[in-house]
Amino acid sequence: MIKYNTFTLKNGLKVIHHHDKTTPMVVVNTIYNVGARDEDENRTGFAHLFEHLMFGGSKNIENYDAPLQLAGGECNAFTNNDITNYYNTLPAENLETALWLESDRMLELAFTPKSLEVQRQVVIEEFKQRYLNQPYGDVWLQFRPLIYKKHPYQWATIGKNIQHIEEASMDDVKAFFFKHYGPQNATLVIGGNVDFELVQSLVKKWYDDIPSRERYIRNITPEPKQTKERRITIERKVPSNAIYLAFRMGSRLTHDHYLGDLTSDVLSGGKSSRLYESLVKNKKLFTDISAYILGGWEDGIFLINGNLMENIDVETAESAIWDEINLLINQSITENELTKVKNKFQTAKAFQEQSLLNRVMNIAMFDLMGKLDEINNENEIYNQISVKELMDFSKRTFKKSNTSVLTIKAIK
Amino acid sequence: MNRNIAPDFTKAQKIDLVFPQKIELENGIQLFWLNETQDDTVKLDISWDAGSKYQNKALVASFTNALLLSGSPDLNAHQISDKIDFQGGFISHDVDKDNGGITLYGLNNKISDIFSVFSTAFNQAVFPESEVNKLIDIRKNGFNISMEKVSTLCRQSFNKNVFGDETGYGKVAQLDDFNKVNQQDIVDFYNTFYLKSKPTLFLVGQVDDDFINELKKWSSKMGTTTPTCPPQNFKQTKGRVEIKKEDAIQSAIRIGRLMIQKNHKDYYKFQILNTILGGYFGSRLMANIREDKGYTYGIGSGLSVLDDSAYFFISTEVAKDVTESTITEIYNEINRLKNEYITKNELEKVKNYLLGEFLRHADGPIAMMENFKNIFFNNLSEDYYTDFIHAVNDVTPQQLKDLANKYWDKNEFLEVIAG
């Protein structure tokens, strides 16, 4: 059970406090309601570029990291298609250091030409290291535009084209900052061994004078329903053929999320799951195969992807996956399988919630989703799911007309 | 309020470490148990001296470890996994150069059932040939994929060259080795290094006496020997080793040398020196090579300490055309630490950061157990962390400069570049 208290400042900043007396630490987590989905299609990769620029100094503080490290702290951040999340972990007595730093960069960044120039270069190297210089590294750069034709989910957080980062100007960067990084567009979560009164007074001290900026109204055209199968085959110098099947489903905010999650566990959660047993071990078609959901907040994807055994062609592999899907639809899953994945979820959640940082991030995510009051209901939601519901989910999701297929042909 | 002035902060003075209680099971087997947890989770690590240095054929240690629960006379691999999964259990297999083991995760009302499936399957493991062959296929594919990465090519070559490829630590598996592993090798390794050898157990969570008794009962069936491996004569290559990968767009760089272990008198202070050079986000290497030059997404340095040896390394991936400039800058940073004293401000920052790290690593019972395992496996005293904190507080610029000169002689370094 995660407990919390909330309050909101006049400038619109929502603050959530989570008390944990057993830790010597405090986590200061700021989630901004901005992700790659909010980018202009001709200026992609900005939310992620910002994740780098946010450490390049702010209006009154030359360097973000050094004062934090001096106070024994550590920080990091991540960006996805929906949100950007910044966090600091430091000894609880030094809470104020993190608030001083975080509030100043919410007030205004330093916007030094040097920082922009260097971080552009760092992001380009990140792009090479993660997407270009790895086998199968560019799959998502190719696959997203196949699945999404209208919605900004068609580009990855690193950007659709590295030129967008190369060409980012200071004016673009400033405009993006003032549009998205104000107090009205953020939730601040503070968790750890600090009490509510202290949090209240220190947050007021450092954040009250930050002006509220114009509220950004998100206006994204939803991706139209898919009506026929889409395919792409790419040839790459990789060791083995691979296949990716994507099915559109409901977003993270819908009940589909939970149904998709359990269905993916039935298919590939652990060694007793169906895909491993049937396709890896018995039929020997794949060396590995997994099913999972991408819980986008605006639209969801159910994904199955596998690497093929040598000498197995992609057609055989794909039709074997469809055989498993049809079993799911026609013969349903057993009560035993359902109990198993529910039990595994409970264990995983209990371990995950041991970490203060995880609890704090969860609070931030749930709040931004507008579901804070549901944060402690997840076990209950999963427990109530029936075999029938999963079967209905499979029927409406796993249709050829709702499928995008990417295959990779290995070439020498 | 003045935003130009940093608020006051305090320095972490001490960490409250909680050590596990020791319980003697049967056959001289030890259980270390921490039960001061806040929830229903239970984690049980069982560890043997069954790492890859004990194998006399490549891959055997890791294959044995991965297949420990792949079949018994009564249950096949699928049934074993299914029974553990049904109880909400998770299993992880862990093997490195020194140790091999298994970790069970579960909730306390299920842990006894999970353990019982584990112990039945483990004690009567038969390693079916079909499971061995399947794993060969899977691992071979994984090997081929990772060999496409410059980071893997670089790490493998570094490993081989830092220890010497005739040693247990330095031997690196080749593709052909996957065709040579067989069921008999695995059964032999299992008998000698798991069944007949003494494991150590690490338990975190609230369990009842019945469960402790089950562990006791199980330990009575286990062996009592402590295996030894042939002495390793480490011989490090000095100078440059290059591995060409034509289509690579970045190069991986790894520079380092054999180094002292944790019980050496210089260890604490060398670790502080390492932190300054490349051990945290604000390090000299990050500040220069990422934050000033923009050559890389990341660069770092560290010490890797094993039972019988240790090495120091610097590692990064950079654009191909700045490979040589990066290496030059790495040595520039090393030389600055050899020739100039660290400033009071920077030293203060590193000290406080490290003290914060101790706190972060002592947060929660699972983290506490990891700290204890570090002491246990490295044969350190229980004062290790307290002494480390003293060393952090006491270290002087002169001592750091002396250590840089003692351990960072360019002629002693191995440089591996893949790309």
Side-chain angles (χ1 to χ4, degrees):
Chain A
M1 172 88 176
I2 299 174
K3 290 188 183 158
Y4 55 86
N5 286 305
T6 66
F7 60 97
T8 305
L9 300 186
K10 284 193 290 290
N11 56 20
L13 179 69
K14 181 162 180 192
V15 188
I16 307 176
H17 167 251
H18 165 65
H19 204 175
D20 180 348
K21 290 182 201 162
T22 67
T23 169
M25 310 305 290
V26 65
V27 173
V28 174
N29 184 95
T30 312
I31 190 167
Y32 285 98
N33 190 0
V34 57
R37 62 175 156 164
D38 298 303
E39 294 159 353
D40 178 330
E41 62 177 325
N42 300 310
R43 296 264 189 286
T44 63
F46 266 61
H48 171 256
L49 175 63
F50 254 84
E51 186 195 314
H52 287 253
L53 296 174
M54 289 283 267
F55 295 94
S58 55
K59 193 172 166 91
N60 301 290
I61 308 167
E62 198 185 326
N63 179 309
Y64 188 91
D65 294 293
L68 185 69
Q69 286 152 359
L70 196 58
E74 196 184 59
C75 59
N76 213 334
F78 60 85
T79 311
N80 65 29
N81 293 75
D82 296 304
I83 58 101
T84 315
N85 194 56
Y86 296 85
Y87 53 96
N88 308 273
T89 310
L90 68 170
E93 307 83 62
N94 298 342
L95 167 65
E96 191 167 2
T97 304
L99 297 178
W100 166 63
L101 289 163
E102 277 292 2
S103 64
D104 202 54
R105 66 179 176 181
M106 185 182 282
L107 182 69
E108 197 173 327
L109 287 185
F111 298 117
T112 64
K114 165 93 184 174
S115 168
L116 177 58
E117 184 200 326
V118 169
Q119 293 309 321
R120 257 195 317 235
Q121 202 49 50
V122 170
V123 171
I124 291 167
E125 289 309 316
E126 180 181 359
F127 188 84
K128 289 186 198 162
Q129 184 172 328
R130 291 165 65 152
Y131 295 86
L132 304 182
N133 210 27
Q134 303 286 340
Y136 312 99
D138 68 335
V139 160
W140 284 100
L141 300 180
Q142 307 290 332
F143 204 16
R144 282 189 171 273
L146 185 74
I147 304 167
Y148 292 106
K149 298 297 179 194
K150 297 265 187 272
H151 195 278
Y153 281 172
Q154 68 190 262
W155 56 83
T157 47
I158 196 93
K160 69 159 81 156
N161 186 331
I162 203 62
Q163 270 166 359
H164 291 175
I165 297 300
E166 284 166 349
E167 289 163 3
S169 74
M170 189 58 92
D171 286 344
D172 297 334
V173 163
K174 283 187 178 169
F176 197 80
F177 177 82
F178 287 108
K179 187 172 174 187
H180 296 291
Y181 294 81
Q184 76 292 343
N185 210 33
T187 299
L188 173 65
V189 186
I190 297 170
N193 204 343
V194 287
D195 64 37
F196 186 64
E197 287 68 32
L198 180 73
V199 165
Q200 243 180 341
S201 71
L202 288 179
V203 168
K204 280 192 180 138
K205 176 176 172 187
W206 291 104
Y207 285 84
D208 249 352
D209 71 344
I210 300 177
S212 191
R213 296 193 269 267
E214 194 186 328
R215 187 173 277 279
Y216 157 70
I217 311 283
R218 182 172 283 129
N219 184 13
I220 297 173
T221 319
E223 180 71 15
K225 191 171 152 44
Q226 189 173 334
T227 52
K228 65 174 204 245
E229 192 191 64
R230 297 170 187 170
R231 288 188 166 270
I232 180 177
T233 299
I234 56 178
E235 294 188 341
R236 290 286 181 274
K237 262 192 72 182
V238 289
S240 62
N241 294 335
I243 185 165
Y244 292 71
L245 268 70
F247 307 88
R248 299 264 309 280
M249 57 174 267
S251 78
R252 173 66 186 89
L253 308 183
T254 66
H255 193 57
D256 250 21
H257 170 79
Y258 300 104
L259 301 175
D261 195 24
L262 285 189
T263 305
S264 72
D265 284 345
V266 169
L267 285 177
S268 89
K271 284 193 174 165
S272 72
S273 63
R274 292 182 171 207
L275 296 183
Y276 183 83
E277 176 67 10
S278 165
L279 304 183
V280 176
K281 270 177 58 178
N282 296 342
K283 296 188 181 153
K284 302 186 172 37
L285 299 174
F286 290 87
T287 52
D288 65 74
I289 185 159
S290 56
Y292 53 95
I293 55 171
L294 295 187
W297 292 15
E298 306 217 358
D299 197 78
I301 294 175
F302 191 105
L303 204 99
I304 299 177
N305 91 277
N307 287 309
L308 275 58
M309 282 282 290
E310 253 180 299
N311 307 323
I312 300 294
D313 60 71
V314 282
E315 292 74 24
T316 312
E318 189 180 342
S319 86
I321 293 176
W322 276 104
D323 289 346
E324 289 302 317
I325 288 172
N326 289 330
L327 278 179
L328 212 53
I329 293 172
N330 299 326
Q331 295 181 11
S332 180
I333 63 170
T334 64
E335 286 293 340
N336 198 61
E337 277 176 301
L338 182 58
T339 309
K340 179 172 82 176
V341 293
K342 285 178 179 176
N343 285 347
K344 288 199 81 145
F345 173 79
Q346 272 198 14
T347 310
K349 191 172 168 67
F351 274 96
Q352 194 232 349
E353 283 188 358
Q354 279 187 333
S355 147
L356 171 66
L357 182 61
N358 284 344
R359 270 178 275 144
V360 167
M361 281 185 187
N362 244 336
I363 292 173
M365 295 280 183
F366 271 82
D367 181 64
L368 213 57
M369 284 192 285
K371 283 173 169 270
L372 186 56
D373 51 343
E374 288 180 27
I375 193 164
N376 292 309
N377 293 354
E378 281 202 308
N379 272 334
E380 194 53 35
I381 295 173
Y382 279 101
N383 275 336
Q384 284 178 1
I385 290 174
S386 67
V387 165
K388 164 100 177 44
E389 271 182 289
L390 293 184
M391 206 164 164
D392 291 345
F393 170 83
S394 291
K395 273 184 192 153
R396 66 171 188 269
T397 308
F398 302 124
K399 291 192 290 209
K400 290 261 182 190
S401 61
N402 190 40
T403 315
S404 299
V405 186
L406 179 145
T407 52
I408 300 179
K409 252 178 116 168
I411 50 169
K412 292 287 167 213
Chain B
M1 173 186 75
N2 182 343
R3 288 190 175 274
N4 297 111
I5 300 170
D8 291 338
F9 60 86
T10 59
K11 213 163 131 174
Q13 293 301 334
K14 64 172 179 66
I15 45 170
D16 296 315
L17 284 179
V18 183
F19 287 117
Q21 54 171 306
K22 184 164 101 179
I23 295 176
E24 295 287 345
L25 303 176
E26 305 297 327
N27 287 338
I29 294 169
Q30 293 177 330
L31 163 69
F32 295 95
W33 181 22
L34 263 182
N35 60 1
E36 291 176 24
T37 50
Q38 311 287 326
D39 56 27
D40 300 331
T41 61
V42 180
K43 179 183 179 199
L44 174 65
D45 280 315
I46 310 174
S47 180
W48 285 265
D49 294 323
S52 60
K53 71 175 175 187
Y54 298 100
Q55 68 195 11
N56 46 27
K57 195 167 169 184
L59 303 170
V60 172
S62 77
F63 271 67
T64 308
N65 181 266
L67 293 169
L68 287 173
L69 305 182
S70 66
S72 66
D74 304 324
L75 298 172
N76 64 29
H78 180 258
Q79 290 164 325
I80 295 165
S81 303
D82 195 53
K83 280 176 184 289
I84 291 171
D85 286 343
F86 188 78
Q87 301 297 339
F90 287 83
I91 301 276
S92 72
H93 295 254
D94 319 288
V95 64
D96 58 26
K97 290 181 164 64
D98 296 313
N99 301 103
I102 268 198
T103 306
L104 314 182
Y105 300 86
L107 299 183
N108 53 11
N109 59 352
K110 307 270 174 60
I111 195 69
S112 176
D113 291 327
I114 295 167
F115 182 77
S116 133
V117 180
F118 156 77
S119 58
T120 314
F122 170 83
N123 285 76
Q124 304 177 59
V126 293
F127 303 94
E129 195 139 26
S130 60
E131 294 289 334
V132 175
N133 291 336
K134 189 69 233 172
L135 189 65
I136 290 173
D137 289 338
I138 293 171
R139 290 280 167 96
K140 225 191 215 165
N141 187 60
F143 180 84
N144 283 332
I145 293 174
S146 73
M147 293 302 277
E148 289 294 313
K149 300 177 186 172
V150 289
S151 55
T152 309
L153 294 173
C154 190
R155 199 174 46 242
Q156 282 209 348
S157 168
F158 183 88
N159 194 62
K160 192 168 78 182
N161 283 288
V162 80
F163 292 122
D165 55 6
E166 289 309 307
T167 61
Y169 284 169
K171 265 186 210 139
V172 175
Q174 308 297 322
L175 186 59
D176 194 36
D177 291 324
F178 289 88
N179 302 325
K180 296 179 187 158
V181 199
N182 62 48
Q183 189 191 28
Q184 193 55 48
D185 298 327
I186 293 170
V187 170
D188 291 346
F189 194 88
Y190 161 74
N191 278 323
T192 310
F193 296 99
Y194 285 95
L195 268 195
K196 290 185 191 149
S197 295
K198 197 165 77 172
T200 308
L201 286 72
F202 305 91
L203 174 66
V204 182
Q206 296 174 20
V207 296
D208 53 22
D209 291 347
D210 290 348
F211 185 66
I212 301 293
N213 284 331
E214 279 175 56
L215 296 180
K216 218 170 239 172
K217 227 166 95 189
W218 177 72
S219 68
S220 69
K221 295 181 220 153
M222 295 302 300
T224 54
T225 58
T226 304
T228 50
C229 81
Q232 310 186 67
N233 297 312
F234 301 113
K235 194 171 176 303
Q236 181 205 310
T237 311
K238 290 168 190 172
R240 182 165 300 187
V241 176
E242 292 189 359
I243 300 141
K244 287 276 167 245
K245 187 167 189 303
E246 290 306 330
D247 52 350
I249 55 174
Q250 284 186 319
S251 307
I253 302 171
R254 203 166 258 252
I255 299 177
R257 58 162 298 179
L258 287 174
M259 197 31 80
I260 52 173
Q261 291 177 275
K262 293 190 181 183
N263 40 24
H264 191 284
K265 65 174 176 44
D266 288 341
Y267 178 78
Y268 300 129
K269 286 176 182 169
F270 184 80
Q271 208 30 294
I272 301 165
L273 181 66
N274 167 63
T275 307
I276 299 165
L277 178 71
Y280 73 126
F281 199 90
S283 70
R284 299 265 181 107
L285 290 174
M286 280 292 269
N288 179 346
I289 292 163
R290 171 174 148 142
E291 295 296 301
D292 184 59
K293 309 273 185 325
Y295 288 164
T296 181
Y297 178 46
I299 182 164
S301 67
L303 272 110
S304 182
V305 181
L306 295 91
D307 278 0
D308 308 327
S309 185
Y311 61 86
F312 162 75
F313 67 99
I314 296 159
S315 147
T316 186
E317 282 163 65
V318 300
K320 252 184 163 170
D321 58 334
V322 294
T323 307
E324 291 305 325
S325 321
T326 302
I327 294 171
T328 307
E329 290 302 332
I330 288 172
Y331 284 112
N332 284 345
E333 291 304 335
I334 286 177
N335 288 332
R336 272 180 62 213
L337 286 165
K338 288 167 73 170
N339 299 326
E340 299 165 20
Y341 291 107
I342 184 172
T343 64
K344 212 177 136 218
N345 282 345
E346 187 181 356
L347 184 56
E348 188 68 10
K349 183 178 76 168
V350 172
K351 285 180 174 190
N352 294 1
Y353 167 78
L354 276 171
L355 295 170
E357 277 293 283
F358 283 118
L359 277 185
R360 272 185 287 281
H361 287 140
D363 196 8
I366 288 184
M368 288 294 180
M369 186 61 99
E370 290 307 308
N371 289 330
F372 174 74
K373 279 158 74 178
N374 179 36
I375 286 176
F376 179 83
F377 284 115
N378 289 288
N379 293 314
L380 305 168
S381 93
E382 287 208 349
D383 295 329
Y384 172 80
Y385 289 101
T386 320
D387 293 347
F388 206 151
I389 288 170
H390 285 148
V392 170
N393 280 319
D394 296 346
V395 70
T396 65
Q398 181 70 52
Q399 289 169 335
L400 291 166
K401 186 164 166 269
D402 290 347
L403 283 177
N405 281 288
K406 182 170 174 186
Y407 291 107
W408 288 342
D409 176 354
K410 187 174 191 282
N411 298 320
E412 296 295 320
F413 279 129
L414 160 68
E415 294 171 6
V416 181
I417 296 140

